[in-house]
Amino acid sequence: MKADKPFRKSFACAGVLYFIIVIILVATGAQNLSYRTGYVLFTCVLPALAAGTWGYFSKKPWSWGRFIATVIILYVVFGMITISGQAHK
């Protein structure tokens, strides 16, 4: 393990991402706000867990920028998978 506290860094990045998304939801006046915030919480936690695991087992040290980029990219990928799964209902 080369990255210093990879899970803490990845969950911090996901927490900031979640906070930004919740602010956008509140500002736009989204309906079913409690449902949407809970749904977004799961979609932020899963990429943080994956990025933290990846950073933990990586042989090279990860910077904050790499954690941020990895969490955001994984958030988009998992979001696209979720959307494609819902499209077949």
Side-chain angles (χ1 to χ4, degrees):
M1 177 183 83
K2 296 279 184 178
D4 184 35
K5 300 175 183 156
F7 288 102
R8 186 176 295 175
K9 288 182 179 180
S10 64
F11 276 98
C13 296
V16 170
L17 178 65
Y18 176 73
F19 184 69
I20 291 170
I21 292 171
V22 168
I23 287 176
I24 292 170
L25 287 173
V26 169
T28 59
Q31 294 181 354
N32 298 330
L33 186 61
S34 60
Y35 172 77
R36 290 179 189 257
T37 55
Y39 188 80
V40 169
L41 178 65
F42 175 73
T43 57
C44 285
V45 168
L46 195 60
L49 193 61
T53 303
W54 189 1
Y56 181 79
F57 288 112
S58 177
K59 302 286 184 207
K60 296 179 182 179
W62 283 29
S63 65
W64 273 100
R66 187 166 180 183
F67 276 106
I68 292 168
T70 305
V71 168
I72 290 173
I73 290 170
L74 287 175
Y75 177 78
V76 170
V77 169
F78 289 144
M80 289 171 49
I81 291 171
T82 303
I83 290 170
S84 69
Q86 291 175 350
H88 295 293
K89 285 186 177 181

